[in-house]
Amino acid sequence: MTRAAIEYLISDITEIERVLTDHPWLDSLLSADETSRADRFRRPTDRAAFRGAHLLFRLMAARRLGIDLREAGDIELTRRCRTCGGPHGKPEVPGAELSLSRSNDAVVVASAPESSPIGVDIEQVPGDVFPGFDDYVLGPTETLPAGGDPVRQRLDLWVCKEAAVKTTGHGLAVPPSDIEVTEVADRPSGISPGGDWTATITAPAHAELNALNLARLSCPRPYVAAVSSAQRLRVEAVGLVELLAR
């Protein structure tokens, strides 16, 4: 791992369940609270997604901190909402920056040095967006590019803005229409195996959000994903097999 890099791992539930079958000790890494919260979901897929996301979070945290993966269960995770002070919101780990997101059967976890706050988001592209999406999500001067899939373009904006507000811990306390995604002039034509810093956040009314950097992440269809960071560090993809090889 490049210590100064942002790393991310995207996986589906099927792959995570297979790894749990091959390495049953991994299931013991989840805390009693995480196991209890997972069991509250009615659908087996949702339970598996929650467990998988938090397991990957702990493994990526251990990798970032340079500790043995078998000690990932001892890592202290805390949550504190910056809006209400409640025990929810962005998960925090001493000595590292991490963020997680899940959508249906896909999960993504990103990690960075402690000095670089990050936020990550992944969403499955639906057949259509909800009524009023543009009024809620698009900023006053934002327009969709000509051509392409308009639903996918809208979801791309959504994950970029979600990643940004997760970086600062604001969440949707800041309306998505308050911030705009501004493409960089030298935006690459494609997405690298890691990610390219293709845009920035413009949010004059929110100083912490204004000028955050955005990288689109390479992920399987029908998903879109993005990571946000105050620093333009190198973005590197990590595979589950690579992660467990340690």
Side-chain angles (χ1 to χ4, degrees), residues 1-99:
M1 176 182 65
T2 304
R3 296 302 302 177
I6 293 171
E7 290 190 323
Y8 74 95
L9 189 157
I10 294 177
S11 182
D12 61 38
I13 302 307
T14 301
E15 183 181 15
I16 296 172
E17 292 292 288
R18 177 185 57 77
V19 167
L20 283 170
T21 300
D22 294 340
H23 306 277
W25 62 271
L26 288 170
D27 217 13
S28 66
L29 299 180
L30 296 178
S31 68
D33 178 64
E34 288 165 335
T35 300
S36 175
R37 290 171 63 192
D39 289 342
R40 294 173 196 167
F41 290 98
R42 293 184 178 180
R43 295 198 314 158
T45 301
D46 292 333
R47 289 196 297 271
F50 184 93
R51 289 169 60 245
H54 286 77
L55 174 61
L56 292 185
F57 186 96
R58 286 186 172 276
L59 292 175
M60 288 287 281
R63 176 181 171 89
R64 173 63 58 177
L65 295 171
I67 65 176
D68 191 284
L69 295 184
R70 292 181 181 269
E71 298 176 8
D74 298 327
I75 296 174
E76 181 182 359
L77 275 63
T78 59
R79 293 176 182 265
R80 183 179 181 278
C81 175
R82 65 175 293 163
T83 302
C84 70
H88 53 269
K90 184 179 181 180
E92 297 182 358
V93 172
E97 271 288 325
L98 290 104
S99 182

XYZ file of all heavy atoms in Angstrom, residues 1-99:
782
model
N 0.841 -1.208 0.000
C 0.000 0.000 0.000
C 0.869 1.248 0.000
O 1.891 1.312 0.689
C -0.899 0.025 1.242
C -1.726 1.297 1.373
S -2.738 1.352 2.873
C -1.470 1.381 4.141
N 0.493 2.245 -0.780
C 1.131 3.552 -0.728
C 0.520 4.323 0.426
O -0.658 4.654 0.400
C 0.916 4.321 -2.049
O 1.396 3.522 -3.133
C 1.680 5.647 -2.029
N 1.288 4.613 1.449
C 0.729 5.189 2.669
C 0.037 6.512 2.415
O -0.898 6.879 3.121
C 1.832 5.392 3.717
C 2.478 4.124 4.205
C 1.471 3.165 4.822
N 0.745 3.762 5.941
C -0.223 3.161 6.603
N -0.615 1.964 6.244
N -0.823 3.751 7.619
N 0.474 7.260 1.390
C -0.131 8.563 1.126
C -1.327 8.468 0.195
O -1.906 9.484 -0.163
C 0.915 9.512 0.540
N -1.691 7.260 -0.207
C -2.775 7.093 -1.177
C -4.115 6.897 -0.493
O -4.196 6.481 0.668
C -2.494 5.913 -2.093
N -5.166 7.199 -1.242
C -6.519 6.801 -0.858
C -6.768 5.435 -1.500
O -6.526 5.250 -2.686
C -7.563 7.816 -1.364
C -7.392 9.152 -0.643
C -8.986 7.282 -1.158
C -8.240 10.270 -1.229
N -7.214 4.475 -0.711
C -7.519 3.149 -1.229
C -9.021 2.895 -1.121
O -9.670 3.366 -0.191
C -6.779 2.072 -0.450
C -5.280 2.068 -0.679
C -4.630 0.837 -0.078
O -5.061 0.394 1.002
O -3.676 0.326 -0.694
N -9.561 2.148 -2.078
C -10.960 1.772 -1.966
C -11.146 0.340 -2.435
O -10.374 -0.175 -3.251
C -11.857 2.713 -2.781
C -11.804 2.529 -4.277
C -12.744 1.730 -4.926
C -10.821 3.136 -5.055
C -12.707 1.546 -6.308
C -10.780 2.965 -6.426
C -11.722 2.172 -7.050
O -11.678 1.986 -8.411
N -12.155 -0.300 -1.872
C -12.485 -1.671 -2.231
C -13.981 -1.751 -2.498
O -14.786 -1.326 -1.668
C -12.101 -2.631 -1.095
C -12.176 -4.142 -1.389
C -11.257 -4.904 -0.443
C -13.596 -4.695 -1.268
N -14.352 -2.252 -3.669
C -15.756 -2.469 -4.018
C -15.979 -3.967 -4.166
O -15.198 -4.660 -4.835
C -16.131 -1.751 -5.333
C -16.044 -0.229 -5.140
C -17.546 -2.141 -5.781
C -16.337 0.568 -6.407
N -17.014 -4.466 -3.521
C -17.299 -5.888 -3.597
C -18.808 -6.105 -3.592
O -19.574 -5.225 -3.188
C -16.668 -6.633 -2.406
O -16.905 -8.032 -2.489
N -19.229 -7.285 -4.031
C -20.647 -7.628 -3.916
C -20.831 -8.651 -2.811
O -19.881 -9.284 -2.343
C -21.239 -8.112 -5.245
C -20.572 -9.375 -5.774
O -20.231 -10.264 -4.961
O -20.393 -9.492 -6.987
N -22.075 -8.828 -2.375
C -22.357 -9.681 -1.242
C -21.975 -11.124 -1.516
O -21.484 -11.839 -0.633
C -23.847 -9.589 -0.863
C -24.208 -8.138 -0.548
C -24.150 -10.471 0.337
C -23.319 -7.479 0.470
N -22.164 -11.583 -2.754
C -21.829 -12.968 -3.096
C -20.358 -13.253 -2.840
O -20.000 -14.296 -2.267
C -22.173 -13.257 -4.570
O -23.565 -13.038 -4.782
C -21.827 -14.692 -4.931
N -19.497 -12.319 -3.248
C -18.060 -12.505 -3.032
C -17.722 -12.495 -1.553
O -16.913 -13.295 -1.073
C -17.267 -11.419 -3.761
C -15.756 -11.600 -3.644
C -14.970 -10.507 -4.349
O -15.563 -9.467 -4.683
O -13.762 -10.705 -4.550
N -18.354 -11.586 -0.805
C -18.084 -11.509 0.638
C -18.544 -12.780 1.340
O -17.835 -13.328 2.194
C -18.763 -10.277 1.247
C -18.175 -8.994 0.656
C -18.603 -10.270 2.776
C -18.899 -7.741 1.060
N -19.726 -13.294 0.983
C -20.229 -14.523 1.594
C -19.310 -15.700 1.275
O -19.085 -16.571 2.122
C -21.640 -14.802 1.097
C -22.680 -13.807 1.592
C -22.911 -13.927 3.087
O -23.523 -14.910 3.512
O -22.458 -13.025 3.826
N -18.771 -15.731 0.063
C -17.834 -16.800 -0.298
C -16.578 -16.727 0.560
O -16.077 -17.754 1.065
C -17.454 -16.689 -1.776
C -16.417 -17.723 -2.225
C -15.993 -17.495 -3.666
N -15.450 -16.154 -3.877
C -14.222 -15.780 -3.507
N -13.418 -16.648 -2.884
N -13.800 -14.562 -3.749
N -16.073 -15.506 0.766
C -14.872 -15.333 1.580
C -15.144 -15.727 3.030
O -14.303 -16.349 3.697
C -14.384 -13.867 1.495
C -13.341 -13.590 2.570
C -13.808 -13.589 0.113
N -16.331 -15.411 3.540
C -16.684 -15.795 4.911
C -16.742 -17.313 5.053
O -16.386 -17.864 6.100
C -18.023 -15.175 5.300
C -17.991 -13.686 5.659
C -19.404 -13.135 5.798
C -17.221 -13.471 6.955
N -17.198 -17.993 4.011
C -17.234 -19.454 4.038
C -15.820 -20.029 4.071
O -15.537 -20.986 4.803
C -17.987 -20.000 2.809
O -19.328 -19.505 2.825
C -18.014 -21.522 2.818
N -14.918 -19.422 3.291
C -13.529 -19.894 3.236
C -12.742 -19.495 4.476
O -11.786 -20.181 4.851
C -12.830 -19.332 1.992
C -13.420 -19.862 0.694
O -14.091 -20.911 0.741
O -13.221 -19.213 -0.354
N -13.125 -18.379 5.098
C -12.405 -17.870 6.278
C -13.416 -17.541 7.379
O -13.698 -16.375 7.654
C -11.606 -16.614 5.916
C -10.675 -16.785 4.755
N -9.415 -17.327 4.878
C -10.817 -16.491 3.435
C -8.821 -17.360 3.695
N -9.655 -16.855 2.800
N -13.978 -18.547 8.032
C -15.048 -18.306 9.021
C -14.631 -17.428 10.193
O -15.495 -16.826 10.839
C -15.421 -19.725 9.483
C -14.270 -20.592 9.094
C -13.691 -19.982 7.867
N -13.332 -17.323 10.474
C -12.876 -16.476 11.577
C -13.195 -15.003 11.338
O -13.278 -14.215 12.288
C -11.372 -16.639 11.791
C -10.531 -16.240 10.620
C -10.139 -17.018 9.588
C -9.973 -14.940 10.356
N -9.380 -16.307 8.688
C -9.255 -15.037 9.134
C -10.005 -13.725 11.023
C -8.590 -13.948 8.576
C -9.342 -12.637 10.481
C -8.637 -12.752 9.268
N -13.417 -14.626 10.075
C -13.699 -13.227 9.767
C -14.986 -12.752 10.439
O -15.099 -11.597 10.848
C -13.802 -13.031 8.254
C -12.493 -13.114 7.461
C -12.791 -13.152 5.967
C -11.593 -11.932 7.794
N -15.972 -13.657 10.545
C -17.261 -13.270 11.111
C -17.135 -12.814 12.556
O -17.957 -12.042 13.050
C -18.237 -14.446 11.011
C -19.655 -13.994 10.702
O -19.827 -12.818 10.319
O -20.586 -14.800 10.844
N -16.100 -13.292 13.249
C -15.919 -12.928 14.659
C -15.383 -11.515 14.836
O -15.327 -11.014 15.966
C -14.963 -13.924 15.330
O -13.649 -13.815 14.775
N -15.011 -10.857 13.735
C -14.444 -9.511 13.844
C -15.501 -8.452 14.128
O -15.187 -7.373 14.632
C -13.697 -9.149 12.554
C -12.508 -10.041 12.175
C -11.880 -9.540 10.883
C -11.471 -10.086 13.294
N -16.757 -8.738 13.795
C -17.818 -7.766 14.027
C -18.110 -7.645 15.514
O -18.080 -8.629 16.254
C -19.088 -8.173 13.279
C -19.014 -8.205 11.757
C -20.342 -8.673 11.182
C -18.652 -6.830 11.203
N -18.403 -6.429 15.949
C -18.740 -6.202 17.352
C -20.142 -6.714 17.636
O -20.931 -6.975 16.717
C -18.661 -4.710 17.680
O -19.690 -4.002 17.007
N -20.469 -6.840 18.931
C -21.814 -7.279 19.314
C -22.863 -6.296 18.801
O -23.950 -6.692 18.362
C -21.897 -7.424 20.834
N -22.529 -4.995 18.822
C -23.467 -3.984 18.340
C -23.685 -4.110 16.838
O -24.825 -4.009 16.355
C -22.938 -2.585 18.674
C -23.850 -1.479 18.143
O -24.994 -1.391 18.601
O -23.401 -0.723 17.252
N -22.613 -4.348 16.091
C -22.746 -4.497 14.631
C -23.566 -5.730 14.275
O -24.404 -5.694 13.366
C -21.351 -4.573 13.996
C -20.609 -3.239 14.013
C -19.133 -3.385 13.724
O -18.573 -4.480 13.962
O -18.519 -2.403 13.275
N -23.336 -6.821 14.998
C -24.108 -8.039 14.754
C -25.579 -7.815 15.066
O -26.467 -8.242 14.316
C -23.563 -9.194 15.604
O -22.195 -9.430 15.270
C -24.355 -10.472 15.359
N -25.845 -7.121 16.181
C -27.228 -6.841 16.568
C -27.928 -5.963 15.544
O -29.088 -6.203 15.179
C -27.259 -6.175 17.943
O -28.562 -5.788 18.303
N -27.232 -4.944 15.054
C -27.829 -4.039 14.067
C -28.098 -4.778 12.758
O -29.105 -4.538 12.091
C -26.907 -2.843 13.840
C -26.833 -1.897 15.027
C -25.760 -0.851 14.842
N -26.016 0.016 13.704
C -25.110 0.854 13.194
N -23.879 0.895 13.704
N -25.424 1.628 12.178
N -27.197 -5.684 12.384
C -27.402 -6.464 11.160
C -28.640 -7.340 11.287
O -29.427 -7.474 10.330
C -26.170 -7.321 10.875
N -28.848 -7.921 12.448
C -29.977 -8.838 12.648
C -31.326 -8.122 12.625
O -32.376 -8.782 12.535
C -29.817 -9.581 13.976
C -28.683 -10.600 13.923
O -28.279 -10.964 12.805
O -28.212 -11.018 15.006
N -31.335 -6.795 12.722
C -32.600 -6.062 12.701
C -33.200 -5.982 11.297
O -34.387 -5.706 11.146
C -32.392 -4.640 13.242
C -32.008 -4.591 14.718
C -31.664 -3.174 15.131
N -30.952 -3.140 16.405
C -30.316 -2.074 16.874
N -30.295 -0.943 16.152
N -29.682 -2.130 18.031
N -32.366 -6.208 10.274
C -32.876 -6.163 8.913
C -33.710 -7.408 8.633
O -33.320 -8.523 8.998
C -31.727 -6.074 7.904
C -30.999 -4.759 7.916
C -29.817 -4.611 8.617
C -31.499 -3.667 7.218
C -29.134 -3.404 8.631
C -30.830 -2.457 7.213
C -29.652 -2.315 7.927
N -34.838 -7.227 7.993
C -35.724 -8.348 7.693
C -35.214 -9.169 6.514
O -35.278 -10.391 6.526
C -37.134 -7.835 7.406
C -37.822 -7.214 8.618
C -39.247 -6.809 8.275
N -39.939 -6.252 9.442
C -41.195 -5.830 9.415
N -41.901 -5.895 8.289
N -41.753 -5.346 10.509
N -34.738 -8.482 5.478
C -34.310 -9.202 4.276
C -32.907 -9.768 4.466
O -32.001 -9.051 4.911
C -34.329 -8.289 3.063
C -35.710 -7.789 2.654
C -35.695 -7.269 1.221
N -34.557 -6.407 0.941
C -34.078 -6.167 -0.268
N -34.641 -6.736 -1.319
N -33.049 -5.355 -0.445
N -32.694 -11.056 4.132
C -31.353 -11.635 4.249
C -30.296 -10.853 3.476
O -29.154 -10.719 3.931
C -31.539 -13.046 3.679
C -32.983 -13.354 3.898
C -33.696 -12.042 3.700
N -30.685 -10.321 2.296
C -29.720 -9.555 1.493
C -29.261 -8.308 2.237
O -28.069 -7.965 2.212
C -30.341 -9.155 0.147
O -30.734 -10.320 -0.563
C -29.337 -8.378 -0.694
N -30.185 -7.620 2.921
C -29.826 -6.422 3.671
C -28.932 -6.772 4.861
O -27.996 -6.037 5.183
C -31.082 -5.700 4.154
C -31.875 -5.089 3.015
O -31.265 -4.767 1.983
O -33.103 -4.928 3.160
N -29.237 -7.890 5.523
C -28.393 -8.316 6.644
C -26.979 -8.618 6.164
O -25.989 -8.204 6.791
C -28.990 -9.551 7.325
C -30.259 -9.286 8.114
C -30.569 -10.428 9.067
N -30.840 -11.685 8.372
C -32.040 -12.053 7.959
N -33.088 -11.260 8.169
N -32.223 -13.213 7.350
N -26.900 -9.327 5.043
C -25.583 -9.675 4.498
C -24.820 -8.434 4.056
O -23.603 -8.337 4.250
C -25.749 -10.643 3.328
N -25.530 -7.470 3.458
C -24.874 -6.239 2.999
C -24.332 -5.445 4.181
O -23.218 -4.908 4.122
C -25.854 -5.394 2.197
N -25.122 -5.361 5.257
C -24.668 -4.618 6.438
C -23.442 -5.290 7.048
O -22.445 -4.626 7.348
C -25.798 -4.531 7.468
C -25.452 -3.702 8.675
C -25.767 -2.349 8.715
C -24.807 -4.262 9.770
C -25.444 -1.581 9.821
C -24.473 -3.503 10.880
C -24.804 -2.161 10.905
N -23.522 -6.603 7.226
C -22.388 -7.332 7.793
C -21.163 -7.195 6.899
O -20.053 -6.950 7.385
C -22.744 -8.807 7.970
C -23.734 -9.087 9.084
C -24.246 -10.512 9.055
N -23.200 -11.496 9.206
C -22.848 -12.382 8.257
N -23.484 -12.366 7.084
N -21.896 -13.252 8.479
N -21.375 -7.347 5.595
C -20.255 -7.266 4.673
C -19.592 -5.902 4.674
O -18.363 -5.796 4.674
N -20.394 -4.843 4.678
C -19.844 -3.488 4.661
C -19.003 -3.221 5.906
O -17.906 -2.652 5.830
C -20.976 -2.466 4.560
N -19.511 -3.651 7.067
C -18.781 -3.370 8.310
C -17.570 -4.284 8.484
O -16.567 -3.890 9.093
C -19.728 -3.458 9.503
C -20.654 -2.289 9.588
N -21.757 -2.157 8.764
C -20.619 -1.165 10.352
C -22.369 -1.021 9.031
N -21.711 -0.397 9.979
N -17.644 -5.478 7.914
C -16.471 -6.338 7.926
C -15.368 -5.745 7.064
O -14.201 -5.655 7.493
C -16.849 -7.730 7.421
C -15.683 -8.718 7.239
C -14.987 -8.970 8.565
C -16.188 -10.023 6.638
N -15.717 -5.324 5.842
C -14.716 -4.703 4.974
C -14.155 -3.435 5.610
O -12.963 -3.129 5.475
C -15.327 -4.379 3.606
C -15.704 -5.560 2.718
C -16.171 -5.061 1.352
C -14.546 -6.527 2.558
N -15.015 -2.688 6.296
C -14.564 -1.466 6.961
C -13.463 -1.803 7.970
O -12.417 -1.138 8.007
C -15.743 -0.794 7.665
C -15.425 0.543 8.272
C -15.688 1.713 7.579
C -14.851 0.639 9.535
C -15.395 2.952 8.134
C -14.557 1.865 10.100
C -14.829 3.026 9.394
N -13.685 -2.830 8.776
C -12.691 -3.200 9.784
C -11.400 -3.716 9.142
O -10.292 -3.399 9.593
C -13.271 -4.241 10.737
C -14.295 -3.663 11.717
C -14.754 -4.674 12.750
N -15.584 -4.032 13.765
C -15.116 -3.397 14.825
N -13.797 -3.326 15.019
N -15.926 -2.839 15.695
N -11.530 -4.501 8.075
C -10.339 -5.018 7.410
C -9.543 -3.899 6.750
O -8.306 -3.879 6.808
C -10.743 -6.057 6.361
C -11.338 -7.367 6.901
C -11.797 -8.241 5.745
C -10.335 -8.103 7.770
N -10.237 -2.950 6.123
C -9.539 -1.818 5.506
C -8.910 -0.916 6.568
O -7.843 -0.330 6.356
C -10.506 -1.028 4.631
C -10.911 -1.745 3.343
S -9.586 -1.798 2.101
C -9.714 -0.118 1.430
N -9.560 -0.802 7.719
C -8.984 -0.011 8.811
C -7.706 -0.670 9.314
O -6.689 0.008 9.559
C -10.004 0.132 9.942
N -7.732 -1.990 9.473
C -6.533 -2.706 9.925
C -5.397 -2.547 8.919
O -4.238 -2.339 9.295
C -6.863 -4.184 10.125
N -5.726 -2.634 7.638
C -4.708 -2.451 6.596
C -4.110 -1.053 6.677
O -2.892 -0.870 6.599
C -5.344 -2.688 5.220
C -4.415 -2.432 4.030
C -5.180 -2.689 2.731
N -4.437 -2.260 1.564
C -3.579 -3.010 0.886
N -3.314 -4.240 1.275
N -2.964 -2.539 -0.193
N -4.972 -0.053 6.838
C -4.492 1.324 6.913
C -3.624 1.556 8.140
O -2.610 2.257 8.088
C -5.693 2.279 6.925
C -5.365 3.742 7.156
C -4.496 4.342 6.070
N -5.070 4.242 4.752
C -4.499 4.753 3.655
N -3.315 5.372 3.739
N -5.074 4.633 2.471
N -4.004 0.965 9.264
C -3.272 1.162 10.515
C -2.035 0.279 10.613
O -1.220 0.447 11.525
C -4.187 0.885 11.707
C -5.377 1.841 11.867
C -6.318 1.331 12.951
C -4.896 3.252 12.205
N -1.917 -0.691 9.679
C -0.743 -1.559 9.683
C -0.772 -2.616 10.766
O 0.291 -3.057 11.230
N -1.973 -3.067 11.165
C -2.070 -4.096 12.196
C -2.565 -5.404 11.569
O -3.081 -5.413 10.446
C -3.012 -3.675 13.333
C -4.453 -3.524 12.833
C -2.537 -2.369 13.966
C -5.443 -3.199 13.930
N -2.385 -6.504 12.291
C -2.810 -7.806 11.807
C -4.317 -7.820 11.589
O -5.075 -7.277 12.398
C -2.422 -8.879 12.825
C -2.585 -10.288 12.258
O -3.741 -10.744 12.159
O -1.566 -10.903 11.916
N -4.752 -8.425 10.490
C -6.178 -8.463 10.188
C -6.988 -9.137 11.290
O -8.149 -8.800 11.516
C -6.426 -9.187 8.867
C -5.868 -8.531 7.596
C -6.303 -9.329 6.370
C -6.299 -7.085 7.471
N -6.373 -10.093 11.998
C -7.090 -10.789 13.065
C -7.350 -9.881 14.266
O -8.119 -10.247 15.161
C -6.332 -12.042 13.488
C -6.309 -13.109 12.411
C -5.569 -14.359 12.845
N -5.542 -15.350 11.780
C -6.450 -16.297 11.611
N -7.470 -16.376 12.440
N -6.348 -17.170 10.630
N -6.716 -8.719 14.276
C -6.941 -7.763 15.353
C -7.947 -6.686 14.941
O -8.202 -5.749 15.698
C -5.624 -7.101 15.765
C -4.589 -8.092 16.303
C -3.267 -7.421 16.615
O -3.197 -6.177 16.555
O -2.290 -8.147 16.906
N -8.530 -6.828 13.755
C -9.467 -5.816 13.259
C -10.696 -5.696 14.153
O -11.328 -4.642 14.224
C -9.884 -6.141 11.829
N -11.054 -6.786 14.838
C -12.210 -6.744 15.722
C -11.984 -5.896 16.957
O -12.952 -5.500 17.629
N -10.727 -5.596 17.264
C -10.406 -4.781 18.448
C -10.391 -3.289 18.145
O -10.246 -2.475 19.059
C -9.042 -5.191 19.019
C -9.019 -6.641 19.483
O -10.071 -7.121 19.943
O -7.953 -7.282 19.378
N -10.508 -2.931 16.871
C -10.467 -1.517 16.503
C -11.716 -0.820 17.033
O -12.835 -1.302 16.872
C -10.375 -1.354 14.974
C -9.058 -1.950 14.462
C -10.487 0.111 14.570
C -8.951 -1.970 12.958
N -11.508 0.318 17.670
C -12.632 1.076 18.234
C -13.244 1.982 17.165
O -12.579 2.856 16.615
C -12.164 1.921 19.417
C -13.282 2.715 20.078
C -12.781 3.582 21.226
O -11.570 3.546 21.515
O -13.610 4.304 21.815
N -14.516 1.762 16.883
C -15.258 2.598 15.939
C -16.232 3.468 16.722
O -16.933 2.989 17.606
C -16.054 1.743 14.949
C -15.349 1.237 13.692
C -14.197 0.307 14.043
C -16.346 0.498 12.806
N -16.244 4.742 16.416
C -17.191 5.646 17.061
C -17.970 6.409 15.998
O -17.485 6.620 14.887
C -16.487 6.644 17.986
O -15.544 7.425 17.215
C -15.746 5.920 19.104
N -19.175 6.806 16.361
C -20.017 7.618 15.484
C -20.613 8.744 16.301
O -21.104 8.521 17.404
C -21.152 6.787 14.866
C -20.704 5.711 13.890
C -21.894 4.892 13.434
N -21.559 3.814 12.541
C -21.615 3.887 11.211
N -22.011 5.011 10.638
N -21.304 2.861 10.451
N -20.570 9.932 15.733
C -21.210 11.064 16.391
C -21.729 12.013 15.339
O -20.964 12.570 14.551
C -20.248 11.798 17.332
C -20.901 12.951 18.099
C -19.914 13.634 19.035
N -20.532 14.704 19.770
C -20.718 15.945 19.297
N -20.316 16.244 18.059
N -21.293 16.877 20.022
N -23.028 12.185 15.302
C -23.652 13.062 14.320
C -23.304 14.518 14.634
O -23.513 14.984 15.763
C -25.167 12.867 14.346
S -26.054 14.008 13.261
N -22.779 15.247 13.663
C -22.400 16.634 13.900
C -23.618 17.542 13.985
O -23.509 18.685 14.439
C -21.445 17.142 12.822
C -22.021 17.217 11.423
C -21.019 17.845 10.468
N -20.791 19.239 10.767
C -19.761 19.942 10.333
N -18.834 19.366 9.588
N -19.620 21.211 10.631
N -24.788 17.026 13.565
C -26.008 17.833 13.623
C -26.717 17.710 14.967
O -27.044 18.708 15.602
C -26.982 17.426 12.497
O -26.333 17.594 11.236
C -28.243 18.292 12.537
N -26.939 16.448 15.422
C -27.688 16.245 16.674
C -26.846 15.678 17.796
O -27.308 15.600 18.949
C -28.895 15.348 16.426
S -28.456 13.622 16.085
N -25.614 15.253 17.502
C -24.762 14.692 18.535
C -25.049 13.244 18.852
O -24.433 12.669 19.747
N -25.980 12.612 18.131
C -26.346 11.226 18.383
C -25.283 10.250 17.916
O -24.362 10.599 17.174
N -25.403 8.972 18.364
C -24.398 7.944 18.037
C -24.579 7.367 16.637
O -24.695 6.156 16.451
C -24.642 6.889 19.118
C -26.105 6.987 19.396
C -26.444 8.461 19.266
N -24.634 8.225 15.654
C -24.732 7.790 14.268
C -23.959 8.794 13.414
O -23.398 9.741 13.941
C -26.193 7.696 13.810
C -26.982 8.952 14.052
N -27.691 9.170 15.196
C -27.151 10.075 13.314
C -28.276 10.352 15.153
N -27.953 10.928 14.015
N -23.930 8.564 12.131
C -23.165 9.455 11.261
C -21.886 8.797 10.802
O -21.746 7.572 10.799
N -20.917 9.586 10.412
C -19.676 9.082 9.836
C -18.888 8.271 10.866
O -18.597 8.753 11.953
C -18.824 10.257 9.338
C -17.545 9.840 8.624
C -16.768 11.057 8.147
C -15.498 10.640 7.411
N -14.720 11.808 6.937
N -18.536 7.016 10.549
C -17.726 6.216 11.485
C -16.300 6.744 11.554
O -15.729 7.140 10.538
C -17.780 4.818 10.876
C -18.036 5.035 9.426
C -18.881 6.276 9.326
N -15.739 6.736 12.733
C -14.395 7.265 12.940
C -13.507 6.223 13.606
O -13.943 5.480 14.493
C -14.451 8.533 13.796
C -15.210 9.676 13.136
C -15.215 10.942 13.985
O -14.656 10.900 15.100
O -15.759 11.960 13.529
N -12.245 6.195 13.171
C -11.240 5.291 13.715
C -10.002 6.113 14.057
O -9.512 6.856 13.189
C -10.869 4.193 12.687
C -9.684 3.378 13.180
C -12.058 3.297 12.420
N -9.481 6.031 15.274
C -8.273 6.783 15.616
C -7.109 6.409 14.705
O -6.827 5.234 14.492
C -7.998 6.359 17.062
C -9.313 5.883 17.594
C -10.010 5.262 16.419
N -6.462 7.419 14.129
C -5.273 7.182 13.322
C -5.513 6.971 11.844
O -4.558 6.735 11.089
N -6.773 7.050 11.401
C -7.060 6.815 9.983
C -8.356 7.503 9.602
O -9.154 7.876 10.462
C -7.149 5.326 9.689
N -8.547 7.670 8.314
C -9.805 8.183 7.770
C -10.436 7.093 6.922
O -9.791 6.525 6.036
C -9.553 9.420 6.897
C -9.570 10.724 7.649
C -10.979 11.138 8.091
O -11.943 10.877 7.355
O -11.082 11.731 9.168
N -11.703 6.787 7.214
C -12.413 5.780 6.433
C -13.837 6.218 6.161
O -14.381 7.062 6.874
C -12.429 4.428 7.157
C -11.083 3.704 7.229
C -10.501 3.827 8.612
C -11.237 2.230 6.837
N -14.419 5.640 5.131
C -15.815 5.908 4.790
C -16.376 4.670 4.107
O -15.636 3.946 3.428
C -15.918 7.113 3.855
O -17.278 7.407 3.547
